[in-house]
Amino acid sequence: MIKKILLVSSSLILLFLPTEQFYNRCIELPTASTSFLNGTSLTPVSFILNGIPGLEEVHLWVSFPLCTMYSIAITGNFGLMYLIYSEEALHRPMYIFLALLSFTDVLMCTSTLPNTLCILWFNLKEIDFKACLAQMFFVHTFTGMESGVLMLMALDRFVAICYPLRYATILTSSVIAKAGLLTFLRGVMLVIPFTFLTKRLPYCRGNVIPHTYCDHMSVAKISCGNVKVNAVYGLMVAVLIGGFDILCITVSYTMILLAVVSLSSAEARQKAFSTCTAHIFAIVITYVPAFFTFFTHRFGGRSIPPHIHIIMANLYLLMPPTMNPIVYGIKTKQIRTCITRFLLQGKDNPLHNI
């Protein structure tokens, strides 16, 4: 009440000042709407991640399936990486790429889910401005790397099926390491400008983001500045990463299909196709939610309810890490065999120790 009286008094005094002094004095007066800003700039000290709009009352219930999926993703991917590391039979290019995919999946979902669960469980919605930019960088870098690894896995299947005799000589350890490094660097170099483009924007409308994590366009949309450059560059990055990777995957599977169809034996055709089914499923569960999230941000803002968009944005980062270990564990014979042998050894060890 006292603050309101002081504010009204100050306003009445300012009315009797000359125009120039009035203008200068108004700039110096703090207001409630700009209290979140960093000094006199229009850069906020922090953002408020508001969770899932429209579902605030059921945040706790929504968190349980997300937490379950995250637990499955962490356990499954770490288990798969350990299995590939410990089993010498799996020290082949296909499984090395699979381990790289699992590693990327863990980083991708961990960049958002712990913070999301804190919002849903404990209502801890505030995130530092720099931490928000860092989260944005990691989210887009690892999603770009996920796409790149799927592309490398498609090339691996192409070489294995179309050039089986030269498979080991083409995909050597050094080639795999360089391909993985280039995929990572591609994501880093293309995503770094996101942070600078977002940092330059003025945030005079507020600091509340209707999301569970800091996404490039979600942050840019609450700005009062011109976000056309952000939108155009985001589209360009999507084309350079997603478009290029999908093109490579499409060409690879077209060549694989032509090679498989030319095989005379039906059993050989079935065996060749069976090595690709898990990878095709991984492509579908990665790109379908990704395209949905990407296009709704730019073209479907009014037609799609906000809570549907936010839930899909979370599933986009959770579905691939959760499903990939399960799919590869079920569909890949070598992994099934290694898991069975590992479990049987675990049961036998106590008997040998007695």
Side-chain angles (χ1 to χ4, degrees):
M1 186 66 184
I2 296 174
K3 289 182 179 179
K4 289 183 179 180
I5 295 171
L6 290 174
L7 187 60
V8 172
S9 303
S10 301
S11 301
L12 292 172
I13 293 170
L14 288 172
L15 290 174
F16 296 96
L17 292 175
T19 305
E20 184 177 353
Q21 294 181 21
F22 175 78
Y23 175 77
N24 293 335
R25 186 70 182 126
C26 282
I27 294 175
E28 296 172 3
L29 276 176
T31 63
S33 61
T34 58
S35 61
F36 63 89
L37 297 178
N38 187 6
T40 58
S41 71
L42 294 177
T43 301
V45 176
S46 62
F47 286 118
I48 303 297
L49 292 168
N50 216 23
I52 305 174
L55 298 180
E56 288 85 359
E57 295 182 359
V58 292
H59 271 181
L60 186 63
W61 297 106
V62 173
S63 69
F64 287 118
L66 294 180
C67 182
T68 302
M69 292 176 70
Y70 181 59
S71 302
I72 294 171
I74 294 297
T75 306
N77 283 292
F78 272 118
L80 193 56
M81 284 188 285
Y82 176 76
L83 189 69
I84 293 170
Y85 171 78
S86 60
E87 292 288 339
E88 192 173 348
L90 300 179
H91 292 178
R92 294 166 55 192
M94 173 184 173
Y95 303 107
I96 294 173
F97 283 127
L98 180 56
L100 182 59
L101 182 68
S102 292
F103 180 67
T104 306
D105 281 339
V106 168
L107 295 176
M108 184 173 70
C109 62
T110 303
S111 64
T112 62
L113 255 295
N115 189 56
T116 298
L117 293 176
C118 285
I119 294 170
L120 301 179
W121 283 345
F122 310 113
N123 207 34
L124 300 175
K125 298 182 176 182
E126 188 173 4
I127 183 171
D128 184 75
F129 180 74
K130 292 181 180 178
C132 183
L133 294 181
Q135 186 182 56
M136 180 196 308
F137 170 78
F138 288 124
V139 166
H140 292 294
T141 297
F142 294 137
T143 52
M145 191 170 177
E146 174 96 356
S147 176
V149 174
L150 288 174
M151 181 264 293
L152 293 177
M153 294 176 78
L155 296 178
D156 167 75
R157 291 298 82 209
F158 164 71
V159 175
I161 293 172
C162 298
Y163 302 98
L165 299 178
R166 297 171 56 193
Y167 180 62
T169 57
I170 293 174
L171 291 176
T172 60
S173 298
S174 62
V175 170
I176 294 171
K178 290 175 183 177
L181 181 61
L182 286 173
T183 302
F184 173 71
L185 291 177
R186 179 191 67 168
V188 170
M189 296 304 294
L190 289 174
V191 170
I192 279 179
F194 280 161
T195 58
F196 294 104
L197 289 173
T198 306
K199 191 175 182 179
R200 71 177 178 85
L201 293 172
Y203 296 91
C204 49
R205 292 177 183 169
N207 65 337
V208 178
I209 302 173
H211 212 303
T212 56
Y213 60 87
C214 290
D215 169 76
H216 173 228
M217 288 308 298
S218 295
V219 177
K221 279 183 176 181
I222 68 167
S223 167
C224 54
N226 187 359
V227 298
K228 187 176 181 180
V229 176
N230 295 67
V232 171
Y233 184 74
L235 184 62
M236 186 182 77
V237 170
V239 171
L240 289 175
I241 293 180
F244 176 77
D245 292 344
I246 290 172
L247 177 64
C248 290
I249 291 170
T250 303
V251 172
S252 297
Y253 272 103
T254 302
M255 300 299 291
I256 288 170
L257 184 62
L258 293 174
V260 170
V261 169
S262 64
L263 295 174
S264 57
S265 170
E267 184 180 351
R269 287 197 294 269
Q270 185 179 0
K271 184 178 180 181
F273 273 128
S274 66
T275 63
C276 301
T277 53
H279 182 245
I280 293 171
F281 190 85
I283 291 170
V284 171
I285 62 176
T286 298
Y287 283 112
V288 170
F291 280 130
F292 180 89
T293 301
F294 177 80
F295 286 114
T296 52
H297 253 317
R298 286 157 177 82
F299 310 112
R302 296 181 180 178
S303 59
I304 298 173
H307 64 274
I308 298 295
H309 168 71
I310 303 303
I311 290 172
M312 286 299 296
N314 281 278
L315 291 179
Y316 155 54
L317 298 178
L318 259 182
M319 281 289 288
T322 304
M323 296 304 298
N324 284 341
I326 297 172
V327 171
Y328 276 95
I330 294 172
K331 291 289 185 180
T332 310
K333 183 180 178 181
Q334 290 86 344
I335 293 178
R336 284 202 313 270
T337 305
C338 290
I339 291 173
T340 304
R341 185 166 62 247
F342 181 80
L343 293 175
L344 290 176
Q345 286 177 352
K347 289 180 179 180
D348 291 341
N349 282 340
L351 297 177
H352 290 302
N353 292 334
I354 292 175

